Coordinates of all heavy atoms in Angstrom, one line a residue:
F39 N 111.0 -163.4 34.8 CA 111.2 -163.2 33.3 C 111.1 -164.6 32.6 O 110.4 -164.8 31.6 CB 112.6 -162.6 33.1 CG 113.0 -162.3 31.7 CD1 112.7 -161.1 31.1 CD2 113.7 -163.2 30.9 CE1 113.1 -160.8 29.8 CE2 114.0 -162.9 29.6 CZ 113.8 -161.7 29.0
L43 N 108.5 -166.5 30.0 CA 108.8 -167.1 28.7 C 108.5 -168.6 28.6 O 108.2 -169.1 27.6 CB 110.3 -166.8 28.4 CG 110.7 -165.4 28.2 CD1 112.1 -165.2 27.8 CD2 109.8 -164.7 27.1
T49 N 108.2 -169.5 23.0 CA 109.5 -169.2 23.6 C 110.0 -170.3 24.4 O 111.2 -170.5 24.5 CB 109.3 -167.9 24.4 OG1 108.2 -168.0 25.3 CG2 109.2 -166.7 23.6
L53 N 113.9 -172.6 25.0 CA 114.6 -172.7 26.3 C 114.5 -174.0 26.9 O 114.7 -174.2 28.1 CB 113.9 -171.7 27.3 CG 113.8 -170.2 26.8 CD1 112.8 -169.4 27.7 CD2 115.1 -169.5 26.8
L62 N 121.5 -168.7 30.4 CA 120.8 -167.5 30.0 C 120.4 -166.7 31.3 O 120.4 -165.5 31.2 CB 119.5 -167.9 29.2 CG 119.8 -168.3 27.8 CD1 118.5 -168.7 27.1 CD2 120.5 -167.2 27.0
L66 N 121.3 -162.9 31.7 CA 120.2 -161.9 31.9 C 120.4 -161.1 33.1 O 120.1 -159.9 33.2 CB 118.8 -162.6 31.9 CG 117.7 -161.6 31.8 CD1 117.5 -161.1 30.3 CD2 116.4 -162.1 32.3
W69 N 122.8 -158.5 32.3 CA 122.2 -157.4 31.5 C 121.4 -156.5 32.4 O 121.4 -155.3 32.3 CB 121.3 -158.1 30.4 CG 120.4 -157.1 29.8 CD1 120.8 -156.2 28.8 CD2 119.0 -156.8 30.1 NE1 119.7 -155.4 28.5 CE2 118.6 -155.7 29.3 CE3 118.1 -157.3 31.0 CZ2 117.3 -155.2 29.3 CZ3 116.9 -156.8 31.0 CH2 116.5 -155.8 30.2
V89 N 123.6 -159.0 21.6 CA 122.4 -159.8 22.1 C 121.3 -159.8 21.1 O 120.7 -160.9 20.9 CB 122.0 -159.1 23.4 CG1 120.7 -159.7 24.0 CG2 123.1 -159.1 24.5
A92 N 122.0 -162.3 18.5 CA 121.9 -163.7 19.1 C 120.4 -164.1 19.0 O 120.1 -165.3 18.6 CB 122.4 -163.7 20.5
H93 N 119.5 -163.2 19.2 CA 118.1 -163.5 19.2 C 117.6 -163.7 17.7 O 116.9 -164.6 17.4 CB 117.2 -162.4 19.8 CG 117.4 -162.3 21.2 ND1 117.4 -161.1 21.9 CD2 117.5 -163.2 22.2 CE1 117.5 -161.3 23.2 NE2 117.6 -162.6 23.4
R95 N 119.5 -164.8 15.4 CA 120.1 -166.1 14.9 C 119.3 -167.3 15.4 O 119.1 -168.2 14.6 CB 121.5 -166.2 15.6 CG 122.6 -166.1 14.5 CD 123.9 -166.6 15.0 NE 124.2 -166.5 16.4 CZ 124.8 -165.5 17.1 NH1 125.3 -164.5 16.4 NH2 125.0 -165.5 18.4
V96 N 118.7 -167.2 16.6 CA 118.0 -168.4 17.1 C 116.5 -168.4 16.5 O 115.7 -169.3 16.8 CB 117.9 -168.5 18.6 CG1 119.3 -168.9 19.1 CG2 117.4 -167.3 19.3
L98 N 114.2 -166.1 17.0 CA 113.2 -165.6 17.9 C 112.4 -164.4 17.3 O 113.0 -163.5 16.7 CB 113.9 -165.1 19.2 CG 113.0 -164.4 20.3 CD1 112.0 -165.4 20.9 CD2 113.9 -163.8 21.3
F102 N 108.3 -161.2 20.8 CA 108.6 -161.7 22.1 C 109.6 -160.9 22.9 O 109.6 -160.8 24.1 CB 109.0 -163.2 22.1 CG 107.8 -164.1 21.6 CD1 107.9 -164.8 20.4 CD2 106.7 -164.2 22.3 CE1 106.9 -165.5 20.0 CE2 105.6 -164.9 21.9 CZ 105.7 -165.6 20.7
M107 N 110.4 -157.4 27.3 CA 110.8 -156.1 27.8 C 109.7 -155.4 28.7 O 110.0 -154.7 29.6 CB 111.3 -155.2 26.7 CG 112.1 -154.0 27.1 SD 113.7 -154.6 27.8 CE 114.7 -154.6 26.4
Ligands
HEM1 C1 114.1 -158.1 27.3 C2 114.3 -159.0 26.4 C3 115.6 -159.8 26.4 C4 116.8 -159.6 26.9 C5 117.3 -158.3 27.5 C6 117.6 -160.8 26.6 C7 118.9 -160.9 26.9 C8 119.7 -161.9 26.4 C9 121.1 -162.0 26.6 C10 122.0 -161.0 27.4 C11 121.6 -163.0 25.9 C12 123.0 -163.5 25.7 C13 123.5 -163.1 24.4 C14 124.9 -163.6 24.1 O1 125.2 -164.8 24.4 O2 125.7 -162.8 23.6 C15 120.4 -163.7 25.3 C16 120.5 -164.8 24.5 C17 119.4 -165.5 24.3 N1 118.1 -165.2 24.5 FE1 117.4 -163.4 25.3 N2 116.8 -161.7 26.0 C18 115.6 -161.2 25.9 C19 114.5 -161.8 25.3 C20 114.4 -163.1 25.0 C21 113.3 -163.9 24.7 C22 111.9 -163.3 24.6 C23 113.7 -165.1 24.4 C24 112.7 -166.2 24.0 C25 112.9 -167.5 24.3 C26 115.1 -165.2 24.5 C27 115.9 -166.3 24.3 C28 117.3 -166.2 24.2 C29 118.1 -167.3 23.7 C30 117.6 -168.7 23.2 C31 119.4 -166.9 23.7 C32 120.6 -167.7 23.3 C33 121.0 -167.3 21.9 C34 122.2 -168.1 21.5 O3 122.2 -169.3 21.6 O4 123.2 -167.4 21.0 N3 115.5 -163.9 24.9 N4 119.3 -163.0 25.6

Side-chain angles (χ1 to χ4, degrees):
F39 185 90
L43 292 184
T49 48
L53 307 167
L62 284 179
L66 193 76
W69 168 79
V89 175
H93 290 145
R95 248 195 335 262
V96 292
L98 174 67
F102 294 115
M107 197 61 92

